[in-house]
Amino acid sequence: MLDGPKSLVMEGELTIYTALDKKAEILSHLKSGKKLEVDLSKISEIDAAGIQLMILARREAHVAGKELNFIVNSNIQQTLELARLTEPLLGTGPMNS
């Protein structure tokens, strides 16, 4: 039996107003398996708090020895490109501690 990724689909905003609730949701799902896929393609808005949450999730996964992948829409992709975080968050680039 293959241990496929657990999927978590998020909708709405990923902003300072929703980050705390979404953080709990992501970290809870991260504990449930070795691989997690977080689908952010339905997120309508992201801000610095949302990006910080993505960084936190990536670091927590790394520390726990788990695989975490994000699926993003073009708006999030553009935001990450502007912040020069595309490779570390969506690719295989390192997250500096």
Side-chain angles (χ1 to χ4, degrees):
M1 183 172 157
L2 296 175
D3 184 23
K6 306 281 184 193
S7 291
L8 173 61
V9 177
M10 303 196 118
E11 297 182 8
E13 297 179 353
L14 189 55
T15 65
I16 193 167
Y17 303 108
T18 63
L20 189 59
D21 291 335
K22 294 202 188 286
K23 173 185 173 184
E25 193 173 358
I26 290 173
L27 294 180
S28 173
H29 274 76
L30 192 58
K31 292 177 185 176
S32 68
K34 288 198 169 266
K35 298 178 184 178
L36 177 63
E37 181 177 88
V38 180
D39 185 344
L40 302 176
S41 64
K42 295 181 181 177
I43 292 292
S44 59
E45 184 179 345
I46 190 167
D47 66 6
I51 293 172
Q52 289 173 337
L53 179 54
M54 291 177 73
I55 293 168
L56 172 73
R58 174 69 78 201
R59 285 187 179 162
E60 290 295 314
H62 177 75
V63 167
K66 298 185 178 192
E67 184 179 326
L68 172 65
N69 294 302
F70 293 106
I71 298 170
V72 299
N73 59 36
S74 60
N75 291 334
I76 294 175
Q77 177 82 28
Q78 267 188 320
T79 301
L80 295 178
E81 286 172 2
L82 288 171
R84 296 186 175 184
L85 290 170
T86 306
E87 186 61 27
L89 288 175
L90 303 182
T92 58
M95 285 299 317
N96 296 325
S97 300

